[in-house]
């Protein structure tokens, strides 16, 4: 599943990699989703950050100002939507670790949510970026769950090599920045 | 599409109607979604209210306090999720008007979003409650769009009788409080 450069063209767009290096994966995904929406390829949005609102002032009529609020832990993943009639649901993760992705980066309620989505026939996965390698991988819930099960008694992380094996490598380019729907296509192809 | 009581049992749960009368439809939908999730029937959640966060204080380590924020206009609908593999997307509306539902209750960007979802093969609709009649109706996007088109040059609302004709009546009961997935079943049955 590793994409080795096979032709000169693969080296011909280094500026993109450099430009994107400092950006969080979420920002690249948001850009990709805007691209997909514009082109009519998919309707996928990031959910708003959940906030517990405690106090609201009304300094002027019709203008509410929130003056006390706290971040809440999301009960689901951050992204969902529809692609060719299919429900898509995922969360985005990044690690600066060079050799492994620690499973405790994924909240228990997110795993529960992905499991419920998978059981309902949706496409559930994580997008994981290894910052040092500059690679992005789609890890389907079906593969994630075996690593989660292993973590109960054994290793608490997914080795980079395992992720390359069990995940699907995603092109990081220009438009869209992270073309993860190609990896979803590969997942859907394997469906009955 | 109107459900007349046909047996004694239909009158045997009046406490529910009374109990629910003062509750906003959104709360009943949230309860219904919790029921669907528990029973493994569907995974449908309300999105968090979008908030523009301007200033955050850190009165204590690890405890962020938002001290200035404003409500943002949502760019999509409030509810989405997956039911039997199908993507579901809708917004919830209530009116105290007895004879019609004013179309300006639906933001232009919500109509755009429902249109994009419909084009992508998702199931897009509104749930509309007439408070005075105590009725809830599912209005599919395909029907909504004809009323939206009409509003450009003609009538700016959907008559209650039109909604009964073009929408699907939904049972308001106990568990779930608003069994709108039965109406989605009816919609899906008409699919190729």
């Amino acid at each position: 599943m590793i994409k080795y450069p096979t032709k000169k063209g693969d080296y011909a767009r280094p500026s993109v990699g450099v430009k994107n290096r400092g950006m969080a994966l979420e920002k690249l995904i948001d850009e990709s989703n805007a691209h997909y929406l514009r082109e009519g390829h998919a309707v996928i949005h990031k959910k708003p950050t959940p906030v517990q609102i405690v106090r609201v002032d009304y300094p002027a009529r019709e203008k509410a100002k929130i003056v006390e609020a706290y971040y809440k832990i999301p009960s689901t993943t951050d992204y969902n939507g529809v692609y060719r009639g299919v429900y898509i649901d995922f969360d985005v993760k990044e690690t600066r670790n060079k050799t492994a992705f620690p499973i405790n980066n994924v909240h228990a309620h997110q795993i529960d949510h992905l499991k419920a989505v998978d059981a309902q026939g949706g496409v559930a996965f994580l997008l994981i970026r290894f910052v040092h390698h500059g690679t992005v991988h789609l890890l389907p819930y079906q593969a994630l769950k075996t690593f989660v099960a292993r973590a109960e008694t054994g290793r608490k992380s997914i080795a980079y090599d395992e992720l390359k094996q069990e995940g699907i490598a995603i092109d990081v380019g220009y438009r869209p920045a992270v073309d993860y729907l190609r990896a979803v296509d590969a997942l859907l192809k394997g469906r009955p």
Side-chain angles (χ1 to χ4, degrees), chain A:
Chain A
M1 289 291 188
I2 318 166
K3 295 202 88 178
Y4 293 103
T6 50
K7 55 184 198 296
K8 219 182 163 189
D10 286 315
Y11 287 112
R13 36 173 192 179
S15 62
V16 174
V18 173
K19 172 178 167 272
N20 289 344
R21 199 164 291 159
M23 298 171 77
L25 180 56
E26 286 209 349
K27 193 158 178 218
L28 298 179
I29 298 297
D30 292 341
E31 284 178 19
S32 303
N33 287 340
H35 173 84
Y36 290 144
L37 185 64
R38 240 179 357 250
E39 301 291 320
H41 294 158
V43 182
I44 299 168
H45 290 276
K46 185 177 194 292
K47 293 182 195 170
T49 305
V51 160
Q52 178 74 47
I53 295 164
V54 176
R55 203 155 57 86
V56 181
D57 278 357
Y58 294 86
R61 215 179 255 277
E62 310 251 330
K63 183 70 178 164
K65 182 183 177 185
I66 299 160
V67 293
E68 185 180 353
Y70 301 92
Y71 292 105
K72 280 200 295 190
I73 295 172
S75 54
T76 65
T77 50
D78 277 354
Y79 292 89
N80 72 355
V82 57
Y83 171 53
R84 299 196 302 177
V86 176
Y87 177 78
I88 306 290
D89 195 300
F90 61 98
D91 214 78
V92 164
K93 304 289 178 188
E94 275 182 311
T95 183
R96 300 199 162 267
N97 194 309
K98 283 176 194 173
T99 56
F101 173 75
I103 288 175
N104 65 8
N105 281 14
V106 193
H107 298 298
H109 55 263
Q110 290 185 321
I111 294 168
D112 291 344
H113 175 72
L114 291 171
K115 182 184 180 181
V117 165
D118 181 75
Q120 201 54 239
V123 177
F125 55 89
L126 295 179
L127 292 181
I128 302 175
R129 183 185 189 209
F130 273 76
V131 176
H132 282 289
H133 300 290
T135 56
V136 179
H137 313 260
L138 182 152
L139 184 67
Y141 169 74
Q142 287 295 330
L144 171 65
K145 77 174 184 186
T146 65
F147 293 118
V148 170
R150 183 179 69 180
E152 289 191 15
T153 53
R155 181 175 178 147
K156 308 280 189 253
S157 67
I158 306 169
Y160 183 56
D161 286 340
E162 289 175 325
L163 192 59
K164 285 195 289 190
Q165 191 73 31
E166 300 296 326
I168 303 169
I170 295 172
D171 284 336
V172 179
Y174 180 47
R175 262 188 202 166
V178 179
D179 199 6
Y180 67 91
L181 286 183
R182 296 293 73 74
V184 171
D185 285 337
L187 265 186
L188 290 174
K189 214 176 263 179
R191 283 203 165 192

